[in-house]
Amino acid sequence: MSRVYNFSAGPSMLPQAVLEKAASEMLDYQGSGQSVMEMSHRSKTYQAIIDEAEALLREVLNIPDNYKVLFLQGGGSTQFAMIPLNLKKNGKADYVITGQWAKKAAAEARKYLDVNVVASSADTTFTYIPKLDPATFSKDADYFYICLNNTIYGTHYSPEQLPDTGDIPLVTDASSCILSEPMDVSKFGLIFAGAQKNMGPAGVTVVIIRDDLIREVPETVPTMLTYKIHADNGSMYNTPPCYSIYMVKLVLEWLKNDIGGVEKMHEINKAKAAKLYEFLDNSKLFKGTVEKDSRSLMNVPFVTGDKDLDAKFVAEAAKAGLVNLKGHRTVGGMRASIYNAMPMEGVDALIDFMKKFEAENA
Amino acid sequence: MSRVYNFSAGPSMLPQAVLEKAASEMLDYQGSGQSVMEMSHRSKTYQAIIDEAEALLREVLNIPDNYKVLFLQGGGSTQFAMIPLNLKKNGKADYVITGQWAKKAAAEARKYLDVNVVASSADTTFTYIPKLDPATFSKDADYFYICLNNTIYGTHYSPEQLPDTGDIPLVTDASSCILSEPMDVSKFGLIFAGAQKNMGPAGVTVVIIRDDLIREVPETVPTMLTYKIHADNGSMYNTPPCYSIYMVKLVLEWLKNDIGGVEKMHEINKAKAAKLYEFLDNSKLFKGTVEKDSRSLMNVPFVTGDKDLDAKFVAEAAKAGLVNLKGHRTVGGMRASIYNAMPMEGVDALIDFMKKFEAENA
């Protein structure tokens, strides 16, 4: 067996120790005589798994008691509808458009309420986080929506760039940065994240929602798209994606015990990203595409400026065991997604390969 | 390692060979250097997996070309909303109430259209499939809904009990019987099934839908609840539950190659159920609760008539490695779910244990 360094934007690498543990428990979870996939979700054994996943997430992210943690299905795209359907009161929401996912979220919200686009970085194909002017914020918005880390474009809100929305709940898509850095959860009304970048496999979406935002909704809202239903039933209104939640538990155990928590993870992520950005800033061939104050620690897009050379790079890198480096189809070039599970060795291997490629193609 | 016989109603047993294969491929799927959990869903390797899952399902169920196969999230409970939201035209639908799941489906549908309850077996706590009188069918229903196998109550529509709805699309929840028997798919407009009984782990729902029922929907329908979106994007509008779909592929390979297809599976299932029902029909202590012409091959509820004795049986059986035999909380007693993955040896072990228990508690 020869494992590759997988720079996919998601689904992406999982810690090898987590995969080994999952494989070892596949036929018999802790002496139960069953795979986690085979367990009744109403069994005590499975209840302990989902409870532990929630407890670990609360611990590593320091989630306050007045927030519920939900394990849902349907990905971020389902959240794009659930958020307006559940949070609508006055019928207006503010959105900052920093990429395709924020744009899709706003488009879905427009089905249900008035969307005020506070700012956008579409003018430069989303290479920066726009400066926000509180004077443009709606006074009576039901919520204020941002995408915290933009997977496709490689931008990320620094703490200084986060808007102060006062009493208006700040809602964020944290799919591609959750668990990569400490978060002050109390600054948000609702945080959601698909698992398939930093938390586990695709198929489960975590929603962290402040109690007061869990409300009765109009009867026309589908039951399964109602936060209150899932909150009242401990994410077990119907059969949850049991195995994906178990994998999240394993990843959280790794993050806590092997890495030492989110602060430690953040230090490692900063060191990994710094190496790669430093190389890009000094390279004669490769160039990062994002403004420095908006750079993501997780997704690093770069180009050579020559499409054919980009394609050659992606193909040769794959042969060298550095896979999925092709940029998103809407951007082109390359993108290295270096999530939590990507070890420093993977980043070093990428930089070494880029140096070699640069020397050969100068 | 000591595996148990797991009679859970779902999630439930998976074939041991499937779990072994999944464990062996966990860190490196067919030389890709990645787990299936880590693969980009846009990669060729993953596309081949989902394509193969669909092709196998089409083959074993003999699905006609004018039907699409969708792999969705959200379970049957999400289908309860998607069906009326997508199939609504005249604003009326017929439902047969044969248990809690049909009841929940009808309640969700009532949010969006008029529900005509054609028949119900609620009078006896759903111990039979009601006789249907075509005179009570709506002439202008958008669809006619049945739950093909009732997991909780252990009833199942025989081919003779299936309604002839003419031009009105017959829609069915086949969650707990799909792949257990041949189905004439062409008799249905839409078939859906959560994977977690006969197809794989929880977290993926298969929808088999006739082309003409895949329609434009009103703008207010959430994008993710629109069949057309998923059909137009080959179930990849957003990141699908990749690993669950891979597990479905492995189960279908097992069904085709190890078992020999759905007809063979049906023979085995009939033999397993016949043994258990025969024992129940001749037992002095245990009694099946379902009318003979409505019996399910998959879920076999039974009672002793004494609550304390039921509880004793469930507890002692678990100690003997026969787990999850407790009946649903709304019914009480016992229920043995004997899905495809339950080997004849498991049924034999259960009957042997029941004989012993009967002798000891006569």
Side-chain angles (χ1 to χ4, degrees):
Chain A
M1 185 195 72
S2 162
R3 299 258 304 158
V4 294
Y5 289 119
N6 178 6
F7 295 91
S8 171
S12 194
M13 275 186 89
L14 289 166
Q16 186 162 331
V18 165
L19 294 172
E20 283 164 357
K21 178 107 179 178
S24 76
E25 293 183 335
M26 181 63 86
L27 278 90
D28 184 8
Y29 175 76
Q30 299 188 357
S32 66
Q34 301 164 55
S35 173
V36 173
M37 290 191 204
E38 302 178 294
M39 281 176 196
S40 169
H41 57 298
R42 306 285 179 203
S43 65
K44 276 182 197 152
T45 316
Y46 188 73
Q47 187 66 51
I49 291 172
I50 192 169
D51 286 350
E52 181 64 9
E54 176 175 341
L56 283 164
L57 190 68
R58 286 186 175 279
E59 182 182 346
V60 299
L61 280 183
N62 200 13
I63 300 173
D65 288 345
N66 62 325
Y67 287 73
K68 290 276 184 302
V69 172
L70 310 177
F71 296 100
L72 306 182
Q73 294 187 64
S77 298
T78 299
Q79 293 311 305
F80 297 166
M82 285 181 77
I83 289 161
L85 285 169
N86 285 265
L87 269 49
K88 182 177 175 177
K89 264 165 88 176
N90 299 326
K92 190 187 290 183
D94 285 357
Y95 278 73
V96 180
I97 308 299
T98 50
Q100 186 173 307
W101 295 110
K103 218 160 107 179
K104 280 198 175 183
E108 189 75 6
R110 263 188 211 103
K111 294 178 166 196
Y112 309 110
L113 40 67
D114 290 334
V115 167
N116 171 39
V117 173
V118 169
S120 166
S121 48
D123 57 341
T124 64
T125 322
F126 306 114
T127 58
Y128 64 100
I129 299 295
K131 283 199 175 41
L132 300 177
D133 175 6
T136 62
F137 298 2
S138 303
K139 300 281 167 287
D140 54 348
D142 293 330
Y143 59 91
F144 189 109
Y145 184 100
I146 61 170
C147 181
L148 199 55
N149 187 83
N150 296 279
T151 322
I152 296 176
Y153 307 96
T155 63
H156 179 262
Y157 285 79
S158 64
E160 303 77 48
Q161 288 168 323
L162 273 188
D164 179 0
T165 59
D167 289 340
I168 291 170
L170 183 59
V171 169
T172 196
D173 177 352
S175 294
S176 50
C177 61
I178 195 162
L179 302 183
S180 71
E181 60 188 352
M183 277 181 99
D184 183 351
V185 173
S186 72
K187 285 201 170 157
F188 298 88
L190 187 155
I191 298 165
F192 73 89
Q196 67 268 23
K197 285 101 159 58
N198 269 335
M199 285 194 291
V204 60
T205 307
V206 167
V207 174
I208 303 165
I209 180 171
R210 212 172 58 209
D211 284 340
D212 61 295
L213 299 176
I214 300 170
R215 298 176 189 144
E216 300 290 343
V217 293
E219 210 229 15
T220 51
V221 177
T223 303
M224 282 292 289
L225 299 195
T226 307
Y227 290 126
K228 192 171 189 316
I229 287 286
H230 297 292
D232 288 351
N233 291 281
S235 300
M236 296 251 214
Y237 171 72
N238 69 337
T239 315
C242 300
Y243 196 75
S244 298
I245 295 169
Y246 156 75
M247 288 299 303
V248 170
K249 178 187 94 98
L250 293 187
V251 169
L252 288 165
E253 284 170 350
W254 168 84
L255 180 60
K256 182 186 166 188
N257 302 324
D258 295 17
I259 298 297
V262 166
E263 287 76 10
K264 285 274 175 62
M265 192 75 252
H266 190 211
E267 293 306 317
I268 296 170
N269 286 332
K270 281 193 289 189
K272 286 188 300 184
K275 263 197 191 176
L276 186 49
Y277 283 121
E278 202 200 328
F279 171 76
L280 287 171
D281 289 343
N282 292 295
S283 168
K284 291 207 167 58
L285 180 61
F286 298 103
K287 201 178 74 168
T289 57
V290 172
E291 292 191 14
K292 286 191 180 178
D293 72 348
S294 302
R295 283 173 167 176
S296 166
L297 298 182
M298 297 286 102
N299 312 99
V300 183
F302 56 95
V303 293
T304 64
D306 176 334
K307 268 188 178 180
D308 295 337
L309 206 55
D310 287 352
K312 188 181 171 196
F313 176 82
V314 169
E316 291 189 4
K319 279 184 199 148
L322 308 165
V323 307
N324 290 320
L325 280 162
K326 196 177 171 187
H328 191 269
R329 61 189 182 278
T330 61
V331 185
M334 281 75 73
R335 174 179 45 173
S337 293
I338 49 175
Y339 295 118
N340 286 358
M342 174 63 68
M344 183 63 89
E345 292 74 26
V347 176
D348 288 338
L350 173 61
I351 293 171
D352 286 347
F353 182 81
M354 289 168 83
K355 281 182 186 161
K356 185 169 152 278
F357 187 88
E358 184 169 330
E360 290 169 1
N361 294 275
Chain B
M1 186 194 72
S2 164
R3 300 255 306 158
V4 294
Y5 289 119
N6 178 6
F7 295 91
S8 171
S12 193
M13 276 186 89
L14 288 165
Q16 185 162 332
V18 165
L19 294 171
E20 283 164 357
K21 178 107 179 179
S24 76
E25 294 184 333
M26 181 63 87
L27 277 90
D28 183 9
Y29 175 75
Q30 299 187 357
S32 66
Q34 302 164 53
S35 174
V36 173
M37 289 190 204
E38 302 178 295
M39 282 176 196
S40 168
H41 57 298
R42 306 286 179 203
S43 65
K44 277 181 198 152
T45 317
Y46 188 73
Q47 187 65 52
I49 291 172
I50 191 170
D51 286 349
E52 181 65 10
E54 176 175 341
L56 284 164
L57 190 68
R58 286 187 175 278
E59 184 182 345
V60 300
L61 279 184
N62 200 15
I63 300 174
D65 288 344
N66 62 324
Y67 286 74
K68 291 274 185 302
V69 172
L70 309 177
F71 296 100
L72 306 181
Q73 294 187 63
S77 298
T78 299
Q79 292 311 306
F80 297 166
M82 283 182 79
I83 288 161
L85 285 170
N86 285 266
L87 270 48
K88 181 177 175 177
K89 263 164 95 174
N90 299 325
K92 189 188 290 183
D94 285 358
Y95 278 72
V96 180
I97 307 300
T98 50
Q100 187 173 307
W101 295 111
K103 217 161 111 178
K104 280 198 174 183
E108 190 75 6
R110 263 188 211 103
K111 293 178 166 196
Y112 311 110
L113 40 67
D114 291 334
V115 167
N116 171 39
V117 173
V118 169
S120 166
S121 48
D123 57 340
T124 65
T125 323
F126 306 114
T127 57
Y128 65 99
I129 299 295
K131 282 199 176 40
L132 300 178
D133 175 5
T136 63
F137 298 2
S138 304
K139 300 282 168 283
D140 55 347
D142 293 329
Y143 59 90
F144 190 109
Y145 184 101
I146 61 170
C147 182
L148 199 54
N149 188 84
N150 296 280
T151 321
I152 296 176
Y153 307 96
T155 63
H156 178 261
Y157 285 79
S158 65
E160 304 76 49
Q161 288 168 323
L162 273 189
D164 178 359
T165 59
D167 289 340
I168 291 170
L170 184 58
V171 170
T172 196
D173 178 352
S175 293
S176 50
C177 62
I178 195 162
L179 301 183
S180 72
E181 61 188 353
M183 276 181 101
D184 183 352
V185 173
S186 72
K187 285 200 171 159
F188 298 89
L190 187 155
I191 298 165
F192 73 89
Q196 67 269 21
K197 284 100 159 62
N198 269 336
M199 286 194 291
V204 61
T205 308
V206 167
V207 175
I208 302 166
I209 180 170
R210 211 173 58 209
D211 284 340
D212 62 293
L213 299 176
I214 301 172
R215 297 175 189 147
E216 299 290 343
V217 294
E219 211 227 17
T220 50
V221 176
T223 303
M224 283 291 290
L225 298 195
T226 307
Y227 291 127
K228 192 171 187 319
I229 286 284
H230 297 291
D232 288 351
N233 291 280
S235 302
M236 295 252 213
Y237 171 73
N238 69 337
T239 315
C242 301
Y243 196 75
S244 298
I245 295 169
Y246 156 75
M247 288 299 303
V248 170
K249 178 186 93 99
L250 294 186
V251 170
L252 287 164
E253 284 169 350
W254 168 84
L255 181 60
K256 182 186 165 187
N257 302 326
D258 294 18
I259 298 296
V262 166
E263 287 76 10
K264 285 273 176 62
M265 192 75 251
H266 191 210
E267 292 307 316
I268 296 169
N269 285 331
K270 282 193 288 191
K272 286 188 301 186
K275 263 196 190 176
L276 186 50
Y277 284 121
E278 203 201 328
F279 172 76
L280 288 171
D281 290 343
N282 291 293
S283 167
K284 291 208 167 58
L285 181 61
F286 298 103
K287 199 177 78 167
T289 57
V290 172
E291 293 191 12
K292 287 191 180 179
D293 72 348
S294 303
R295 281 173 167 178
S296 166
L297 297 182
M298 296 286 103
N299 312 100
V300 182
F302 56 95
V303 294
T304 64
D306 175 335
K307 270 188 178 178
D308 295 338
L309 207 54
D310 288 350
K312 188 181 172 196
F313 176 82
V314 169
E316 291 188 5
K319 279 185 201 147
L322 308 166
V323 307
N324 290 320
L325 279 162
K326 195 176 170 188
H328 190 270
R329 59 189 183 280
T330 60
V331 186
M334 281 74 73
R335 173 180 45 172
S337 293
I338 49 175
Y339 294 118
N340 287 356
M342 175 63 69
M344 183 62 90
E345 293 74 26
V347 176
D348 288 339
L350 173 61
I351 293 171
D352 286 348
F353 183 82
M354 289 169 83
K355 282 182 186 162
K356 185 171 151 277
F357 188 88
E358 184 169 332
E360 289 169 3
N361 294 274

PDB file of all heavy atoms in Angstrom, chain A residues 46 71-73 203-205 235 239-246, chain B residues 202-203:
ATOM      1  N   TYR A  46     -24.880   3.037  20.297  1.00  0.00           N
ATOM      2  CA  TYR A  46     -24.795   4.121  19.325  1.00  0.00           C
ATOM      3  C   TYR A  46     -25.038   5.484  19.974  1.00  0.00           C
ATOM      4  O   TYR A  46     -24.377   6.470  19.635  1.00  0.00           O
ATOM      5  CB  TYR A  46     -25.736   3.923  18.119  1.00  0.00           C
ATOM      6  CG  TYR A  46     -25.392   5.004  17.122  1.00  0.00           C
ATOM      7  CD1 TYR A  46     -24.214   4.922  16.391  1.00  0.00           C
ATOM      8  CD2 TYR A  46     -26.143   6.169  17.027  1.00  0.00           C
ATOM      9  CE1 TYR A  46     -23.809   5.956  15.568  1.00  0.00           C
ATOM     10  CE2 TYR A  46     -25.744   7.210  16.211  1.00  0.00           C
ATOM     11  CZ  TYR A  46     -24.581   7.093  15.475  1.00  0.00           C
ATOM     12  OH  TYR A  46     -24.159   8.117  14.686  1.00  0.00           O
ATOM     13  N   PHE A  71     -26.434  17.193  14.139  1.00  0.00           N
ATOM     14  CA  PHE A  71     -25.794  16.416  13.078  1.00  0.00           C
ATOM     15  C   PHE A  71     -26.852  16.134  12.007  1.00  0.00           C
ATOM     16  O   PHE A  71     -27.755  15.330  12.227  1.00  0.00           O
ATOM     17  CB  PHE A  71     -25.230  15.106  13.630  1.00  0.00           C
ATOM     18  CG  PHE A  71     -24.125  15.297  14.638  1.00  0.00           C
ATOM     19  CD1 PHE A  71     -24.379  15.217  16.002  1.00  0.00           C
ATOM     20  CD2 PHE A  71     -22.827  15.567  14.224  1.00  0.00           C
ATOM     21  CE1 PHE A  71     -23.361  15.396  16.939  1.00  0.00           C
ATOM     22  CE2 PHE A  71     -21.800  15.746  15.145  1.00  0.00           C
ATOM     23  CZ  PHE A  71     -22.073  15.665  16.514  1.00  0.00           C
ATOM     24  N   LEU A  72     -26.747  16.820  10.873  1.00  0.00           N
ATOM     25  CA  LEU A  72     -27.796  16.749   9.858  1.00  0.00           C
ATOM     26  C   LEU A  72     -27.271  16.166   8.549  1.00  0.00           C
ATOM     27  O   LEU A  72     -26.082  15.921   8.391  1.00  0.00           O
ATOM     28  CB  LEU A  72     -28.368  18.148   9.615  1.00  0.00           C
ATOM     29  CG  LEU A  72     -28.873  18.881  10.871  1.00  0.00           C
ATOM     30  CD1 LEU A  72     -29.464  20.233  10.484  1.00  0.00           C
ATOM     31  CD2 LEU A  72     -29.918  18.060  11.620  1.00  0.00           C
ATOM     32  N   GLN A  73     -28.194  15.960   7.618  1.00  0.00           N
ATOM     33  CA  GLN A  73     -27.834  15.489   6.281  1.00  0.00           C
ATOM     34  C   GLN A  73     -28.075  16.605   5.255  1.00  0.00           C
ATOM     35  O   GLN A  73     -28.676  17.623   5.560  1.00  0.00           O
ATOM     36  CB  GLN A  73     -28.673  14.264   5.917  1.00  0.00           C
ATOM     37  CG  GLN A  73     -28.369  13.038   6.785  1.00  0.00           C
ATOM     38  CD  GLN A  73     -29.088  11.789   6.300  1.00  0.00           C
ATOM     39  OE1 GLN A  73     -28.852  11.296   5.217  1.00  0.00           O
ATOM     40  NE2 GLN A  73     -29.964  11.267   7.135  1.00  0.00           N
ATOM     41  N   GLY A 203     -21.475  13.464   4.076  1.00  0.00           N
ATOM     42  CA  GLY A 203     -22.712  12.796   4.477  1.00  0.00           C
ATOM     43  C   GLY A 203     -23.248  13.275   5.803  1.00  0.00           C
ATOM     44  O   GLY A 203     -24.338  12.885   6.209  1.00  0.00           O
ATOM     45  N   VAL A 204     -22.473  14.116   6.503  1.00  0.00           N
ATOM     46  CA  VAL A 204     -23.011  14.717   7.721  1.00  0.00           C
ATOM     47  C   VAL A 204     -22.611  16.194   7.755  1.00  0.00           C
ATOM     48  O   VAL A 204     -21.508  16.557   7.339  1.00  0.00           O
ATOM     49  CB  VAL A 204     -22.566  13.964   8.997  1.00  0.00           C
ATOM     50  CG1 VAL A 204     -21.057  13.953   9.155  1.00  0.00           C
ATOM     51  CG2 VAL A 204     -23.222  14.569  10.246  1.00  0.00           C
ATOM     52  N   THR A 205     -23.541  17.018   8.184  1.00  0.00           N
ATOM     53  CA  THR A 205     -23.335  18.457   8.292  1.00  0.00           C
ATOM     54  C   THR A 205     -23.571  18.847   9.750  1.00  0.00           C
ATOM     55  O   THR A 205     -24.599  18.501  10.317  1.00  0.00           O
ATOM     56  CB  THR A 205     -24.348  19.214   7.405  1.00  0.00           C
ATOM     57  OG1 THR A 205     -24.265  18.695   6.086  1.00  0.00           O
ATOM     58  CG2 THR A 205     -24.071  20.712   7.394  1.00  0.00           C
ATOM     59  N   SER A 235     -30.916  15.193  17.230  1.00  0.00           N
ATOM     60  CA  SER A 235     -30.470  14.786  15.881  1.00  0.00           C
ATOM     61  C   SER A 235     -30.932  13.379  15.494  1.00  0.00           C
ATOM     62  O   SER A 235     -30.365  12.754  14.597  1.00  0.00           O
ATOM     63  CB  SER A 235     -28.943  14.874  15.732  1.00  0.00           C
ATOM     64  OG  SER A 235     -28.488  16.185  15.953  1.00  0.00           O
ATOM     65  N   THR A 239     -33.441   8.310  11.267  1.00  0.00           N
ATOM     66  CA  THR A 239     -32.127   7.664  11.354  1.00  0.00           C
ATOM     67  C   THR A 239     -31.044   8.636  10.893  1.00  0.00           C
ATOM     68  O   THR A 239     -31.092   9.110   9.757  1.00  0.00           O
ATOM     69  CB  THR A 239     -32.086   6.410  10.465  1.00  0.00           C
ATOM     70  OG1 THR A 239     -33.287   5.661  10.653  1.00  0.00           O
ATOM     71  CG2 THR A 239     -30.900   5.537  10.811  1.00  0.00           C
ATOM     72  N   PRO A 240     -30.099   8.955  11.745  1.00  0.00           N
ATOM     73  CA  PRO A 240     -29.041   9.880  11.325  1.00  0.00           C
ATOM     74  C   PRO A 240     -27.997   9.141  10.475  1.00  0.00           C
ATOM     75  O   PRO A 240     -28.044   7.909  10.377  1.00  0.00           O
ATOM     76  CB  PRO A 240     -28.441  10.328  12.656  1.00  0.00           C
ATOM     77  CG  PRO A 240     -28.633   9.166  13.567  1.00  0.00           C
ATOM     78  CD  PRO A 240     -29.909   8.485  13.133  1.00  0.00           C
ATOM     79  N   PRO A 241     -27.073   9.871   9.855  1.00  0.00           N
ATOM     80  CA  PRO A 241     -25.998   9.212   9.109  1.00  0.00           C
ATOM     81  C   PRO A 241     -24.971   8.659  10.096  1.00  0.00           C
ATOM     82  O   PRO A 241     -23.922   9.258  10.341  1.00  0.00           O
ATOM     83  CB  PRO A 241     -25.439  10.345   8.238  1.00  0.00           C
ATOM     84  CG  PRO A 241     -25.757  11.603   8.992  1.00  0.00           C
ATOM     85  CD  PRO A 241     -27.000  11.340   9.789  1.00  0.00           C
ATOM     86  N   CYS A 242     -25.323   7.501  10.674  1.00  0.00           N
ATOM     87  CA  CYS A 242     -24.644   6.982  11.877  1.00  0.00           C
ATOM     88  C   CYS A 242     -23.137   6.843  11.695  1.00  0.00           C
ATOM     89  O   CYS A 242     -22.359   7.230  12.564  1.00  0.00           O
ATOM     90  CB  CYS A 242     -25.228   5.618  12.247  1.00  0.00           C
ATOM     91  SG  CYS A 242     -26.984   5.651  12.596  1.00  0.00           S
ATOM     92  N   TYR A 243     -22.741   6.250  10.567  1.00  0.00           N
ATOM     93  CA  TYR A 243     -21.316   5.954  10.419  1.00  0.00           C
ATOM     94  C   TYR A 243     -20.511   7.234  10.220  1.00  0.00           C
ATOM     95  O   TYR A 243     -19.406   7.371  10.753  1.00  0.00           O
ATOM     96  CB  TYR A 243     -21.086   4.988   9.256  1.00  0.00           C
ATOM     97  CG  TYR A 243     -19.722   4.346   9.297  1.00  0.00           C
ATOM     98  CD1 TYR A 243     -19.446   3.337  10.219  1.00  0.00           C
ATOM     99  CD2 TYR A 243     -18.703   4.757   8.441  1.00  0.00           C
ATOM    100  CE1 TYR A 243     -18.195   2.752  10.282  1.00  0.00           C
ATOM    101  CE2 TYR A 243     -17.447   4.177   8.492  1.00  0.00           C
ATOM    102  CZ  TYR A 243     -17.195   3.175   9.410  1.00  0.00           C
ATOM    103  OH  TYR A 243     -15.954   2.599   9.480  1.00  0.00           O
ATOM    104  N   SER A 244     -21.059   8.186   9.489  1.00  0.00           N
ATOM    105  CA  SER A 244     -20.350   9.457   9.282  1.00  0.00           C
ATOM    106  C   SER A 244     -20.146  10.167  10.617  1.00  0.00           C
ATOM    107  O   SER A 244     -19.097  10.773  10.852  1.00  0.00           O
ATOM    108  CB  SER A 244     -21.133  10.349   8.316  1.00  0.00           C
ATOM    109  OG  SER A 244     -21.253   9.729   7.057  1.00  0.00           O
ATOM    110  N   ILE A 245     -21.139  10.078  11.488  1.00  0.00           N
ATOM    111  CA  ILE A 245     -21.016  10.716  12.811  1.00  0.00           C
ATOM    112  C   ILE A 245     -19.951   9.997  13.638  1.00  0.00           C
ATOM    113  O   ILE A 245     -19.155  10.630  14.342  1.00  0.00           O
ATOM    114  CB  ILE A 245     -22.388  10.734  13.527  1.00  0.00           C
ATOM    115  CG1 ILE A 245     -23.373  11.626  12.747  1.00  0.00           C
ATOM    116  CG2 ILE A 245     -22.248  11.204  14.973  1.00  0.00           C
ATOM    117  CD1 ILE A 245     -24.825  11.510  13.198  1.00  0.00           C
ATOM    118  N   TYR A 246     -19.904   8.681  13.523  1.00  0.00           N
ATOM    119  CA  TYR A 246     -18.851   7.907  14.194  1.00  0.00           C
ATOM    120  C   TYR A 246     -17.473   8.339  13.701  1.00  0.00           C
ATOM    121  O   TYR A 246     -16.528   8.519  14.497  1.00  0.00           O
ATOM    122  CB  TYR A 246     -19.106   6.425  13.926  1.00  0.00           C
ATOM    123  CG  TYR A 246     -17.912   5.504  14.026  1.00  0.00           C
ATOM    124  CD1 TYR A 246     -17.374   5.143  15.265  1.00  0.00           C
ATOM    125  CD2 TYR A 246     -17.327   4.971  12.875  1.00  0.00           C
ATOM    126  CE1 TYR A 246     -16.287   4.280  15.338  1.00  0.00           C
ATOM    127  CE2 TYR A 246     -16.251   4.108  12.941  1.00  0.00           C
ATOM    128  CZ  TYR A 246     -15.731   3.772  14.168  1.00  0.00           C
ATOM    129  OH  TYR A 246     -14.657   2.918  14.237  1.00  0.00           O
TER     130      TYR A 246
ATOM    131  N   ALA B 202     -26.912   3.616   6.993  1.00  0.00           N
ATOM    132  CA  ALA B 202     -27.755   4.807   6.986  1.00  0.00           C
ATOM    133  C   ALA B 202     -26.990   5.962   6.361  1.00  0.00           C
ATOM    134  O   ALA B 202     -25.768   6.016   6.422  1.00  0.00           O
ATOM    135  CB  ALA B 202     -28.155   5.157   8.417  1.00  0.00           C
ATOM    136  N   GLY B 203     -27.730   6.881   5.732  1.00  0.00           N
ATOM    137  CA  GLY B 203     -27.085   8.078   5.188  1.00  0.00           C
ATOM    138  C   GLY B 203     -27.263   8.232   3.704  1.00  0.00           C
ATOM    139  O   GLY B 203     -26.874   9.244   3.143  1.00  0.00           O
TER     140      GLY B 203
END
